[in-house]
Amino acid sequence: SVKAAFDAINAGTHQGAIDVAILSDTTEVASAVLNASGAPSSYTSILIHPSGGIARTVSGAITAGSPLVSLNGATNVTINGLNSGGNSLTISNTTVSTTAGTSTIRLINGAQNNTITNCTVLGSSTSSTTAAGGDILISTSTGGANSANIISNNNIGPAGANLPTKCVMSLGSASPNNNTGNIIDNNNIFDFFQAAVTTAAGVSVSTNTGSITISNNRIYQTAPRVFTAAATYSGIFVSASTAIPTITGNTIGFGAANGAGTTTISGSSNQVKGINAPSTSTIIATSIQGNTVSGITQTSSATGSGSTSPFIGISVGATAGSFNISGNTIGSLDGSSGIVVNTTSTTANTIGFEGIFDFSFQNLDVINNNSIGTITINNGGTGTTAGFRGILLSGTPGQNVTVNNNTIGGTAANSITDNVVGSYAMYGIQTGSANMTATANLVRNITGNSNVAATVVGSGILSTASTGVNSISQNTIYSLSNNSGAASNSIYALYCSFATGPANIVERNFVHSLSITSTDLTSQLVGILPIAGSGTYKNNM
């Protein structure tokens, strides 16, 4: 067994560079624990791999609260499933438990420079949002950080029909023993879910985690998931005031690693958040770049706006630092994939869909080069108020943000469509209170059916309550439309509510092709509306 091999290494029976070949399937009856090198053990590195040219499985129903495999202060250990020459390796803990610590592979007590790669890692930990658990758990330490570990090229999912709440989790100890410098890269992370658990997450970054890289992973569900209680489903969840995450190149949604199928979430007042980062370091900026959130269908009775909206592609802030949110795709511009939100809310001021929501209140946030398109909001029952925000920044006076080169709306007509007939607004980009530089954004092909006296602003820019200087230039806004029936309705492509005094500038913007279908002749179409304050408006078309 793997336990017997680890026990021999811990006893000093084997030394130096050690090769552990798995020659048959094993069933572990207790945790296989590998300790740090040091008397009596003495090793420089360890390679664990399958051998014999066929698939190997290491499994066990381990006592709740324990891992199947524990790297306890171990360093320079590689677990390599190889996936070549017929060799492959599955590591599976079949224990279903809410007890903290239940996991398949655990890194603990200063585990450093270890690699878990090319494996299938399965588990069924059903621990709560804040409790340690998951298929792979980067855990606590009594001496030294769990650092520089690499989790790459694995399939990480459920042990049989029993789904985990988290596939990969980092929850460490206070500095200097926190988890730092770990990498989660190029894994297939799938089928994590519990119907009544508050937050299910593919990757969960929790307390006492420092720098961490989450990159190029594919995070998805292979079957529909139905919540039985109010809950949040997150592809990636970051909630640690110490966390310095780099989140790049991940794909969240679809029903398979190859981009086929759909992640389908329904039941109760659920929320879906592709990347959810309510708490991060306030010292070093968080980077969220080059990710894709698409291939998702949601049905929800959730109500609210901002952080409580039913669907948010990327949600940041509350107790977080500043962010660089750049180059991400929510849905698609070419129609190759998309997002459907079926809303059953009847509460006023609900926003059914938000592509990017920034609630950090931090100076110098950057939201650049993102794409949002192929979005459909449907009336999934009696909903009447489900609106749309492409980018929503809930700011504070004195905050300065940059929103440049974003595209809201795909190439096809009606790329963003709200089929709900009721009272709501649709804004391409909305900022409140913060001072904004908005340059070269493209907002297009947005269609609504708001039928109560409301404002449908399809602009890249709806600016309100700013007390400082705003610069809105070289934006292009076109093909915004609304069918309001017999109600008065308005489309304002650029809505500028500034303070009196600052040298605001609105220049070289291009607005065309706005339309309203209405029998109420008080409806309005306005290209640029200087609603309040002072500014220079020049060279616009």
Side-chain angles (χ1 to χ4, degrees):
S1 70
V2 174
K3 182 181 185 305
F6 284 2
D7 288 346
I9 295 170
N10 293 334
T13 305
H14 304 282
Q15 300 183 6
I18 300 172
D19 187 313
V20 179
I22 300 174
L23 302 175
S24 64
D25 293 347
T26 72
T27 300
E28 309 295 327
V29 296
S31 298
V33 180
L34 179 64
N35 295 326
S37 181
S41 67
S42 179
Y43 61 84
T44 56
S45 65
I46 298 175
L47 172 63
I48 303 164
H49 63 93
S51 185
I54 61 175
R56 307 296 187 189
T57 299
V58 176
S59 64
I62 306 302
T63 302
S66 300
L68 175 63
V69 174
S70 179
L71 301 183
N72 180 33
T75 58
N76 301 315
V77 176
T78 298
I79 304 174
N80 190 341
L82 300 178
N83 292 329
S84 63
N87 292 298
S88 65
L89 179 61
T90 297
I91 305 172
S92 176
N93 183 0
T94 59
T95 298
V96 181
S97 175
T98 60
T99 304
T102 303
S103 51
T104 303
I105 300 176
R106 182 179 68 185
L107 298 98
I108 194 170
N109 291 330
Q112 298 178 1
N113 298 305
N114 303 296
T115 299
I116 303 164
T117 189
N118 298 321
C119 298
T120 296
V121 182
L122 308 176
S124 299
S125 167
T126 56
S127 60
S128 68
T129 303
T130 57
D135 293 6
I136 299 177
L137 173 62
I138 307 173
S139 190
T140 53
S141 179
T142 57
N146 298 308
S147 64
N149 300 292
I150 299 173
I151 301 166
S152 65
N153 303 305
N154 302 288
N155 295 313
I156 306 174
N162 299 304
L163 276 56
T165 50
K166 294 156 289 192
C167 285
V168 181
M169 185 180 197
S170 173
L171 191 159
S173 298
S175 180
N177 296 326
N178 57 14
N179 300 330
T180 188
N182 298 298
I183 297 173
I184 304 165
D185 179 66
N186 201 38
N187 302 283
N188 297 327
I189 297 173
F190 57 95
D191 293 348
F192 50 93
F193 182 81
Q194 287 295 311
V197 171
T198 301
T199 299
V203 178
S204 178
V205 178
S206 193
T207 308
N208 294 317
T209 298
S211 64
I212 185 169
T213 298
I214 306 167
S215 57
N216 305 310
N217 301 285
R218 294 155 297 279
I219 302 173
Y220 56 93
Q221 299 292 324
T222 64
R225 308 298 175 200
V226 182
F227 281 106
T228 58
T232 300
Y233 173 91
S234 301
I236 297 171
F237 179 54
V238 181
S239 183
S241 61
T242 55
I244 308 168
T246 298
I247 304 171
T248 60
N250 302 282
T251 299
I252 299 167
F254 303 100
N258 64 0
T262 303
T263 286
T264 301
I265 306 294
S266 64
S268 190
S269 56
N270 73 80
Q271 285 186 276
V272 172
K273 298 182 179 182
I275 298 173
N276 184 13
S279 182
T280 61
S281 169
T282 57
I283 300 172
I284 299 176
T286 292
S287 176
I288 302 177
Q289 300 191 52
N291 303 282
T292 297
V293 180
S294 192
I296 300 173
T297 296
Q298 176 198 29
T299 301
S300 175
S301 62
T303 62
S305 58
S307 62
T308 60
S309 290
F311 187 98
I312 309 176
I314 298 174
S315 178
V316 303
T319 58
S322 59
F323 289 86
N324 183 345
I325 305 172
S326 299
N328 302 284
T329 299
I330 315 296
S332 72
L333 297 183
D334 62 3
S336 57
S337 66
I339 296 167
V340 177
V341 178
N342 301 308
T343 176
T344 60
S345 165
T346 59
T347 299
N349 300 317
T350 293
I351 303 175
F353 176 96
E354 295 171 12
I356 297 172
F357 174 62
D358 184 343
F359 191 52
S360 72
F361 292 150
Q362 296 296 317
N363 208 23
L364 302 178
D365 276 2
V366 174
I367 305 175
N368 290 349
N369 299 301
N370 301 285
S371 300
I372 301 170
T374 317
I375 310 300
T376 303
I377 304 170
N378 290 323
N379 184 346
T382 56
T384 59
T385 59
F388 167 88
R389 304 293 188 272
I391 297 172
L392 174 58
L393 192 144
S394 182
T396 188
Q399 180 185 3
N400 296 293
V401 298
T402 300
V403 184
N404 291 345
N405 297 298
N406 300 283
T407 299
I408 315 296
T411 56
N414 308 318
S415 172
I416 297 170
T417 300
D418 196 329
N419 290 315
V420 176
V421 177
S423 175
Y424 56 85
M426 302 179 72
Y427 304 149
I429 299 172
Q430 178 184 1
T431 63
S433 298
N435 311 318
M436 179 173 58
T437 297
T439 304
N441 298 287
L442 172 61
V443 181
R444 61 188 178 183
N445 296 326
I446 298 176
T447 301
N449 288 274
S450 181
N451 72 345
V452 178
T455 301
V456 178
V457 181
S459 72
I461 299 93
L462 169 81
S463 179
T464 59
S466 168
T467 58
V469 177
N470 296 268
S471 175
I472 300 172
S473 65
Q474 302 180 64
N475 301 284
T476 300
I477 303 163
Y478 69 90
S479 295
L480 313 179
S481 62
N482 186 66
N483 179 13
S484 61
S488 173
N489 208 273
S490 302
I491 293 179
Y492 307 142
L494 288 177
Y495 184 101
C496 304
S497 181
F498 301 141
T500 299
N504 300 292
I505 187 165
V506 180
E507 66 174 339
R508 300 173 63 190
N509 300 287
F510 182 27
V511 176
H512 65 92
S513 304
L514 312 180
S515 66
I516 290 177
T517 301
S518 176
T519 57
D520 190 316
L521 301 185
T522 64
S523 297
Q524 297 179 350
L525 296 175
V526 182
I528 300 175
L529 183 64
I531 191 69
S534 59
T536 298
Y537 296 78
K538 64 180 182 179
N539 299 321
N540 299 289
M541 181 178 294

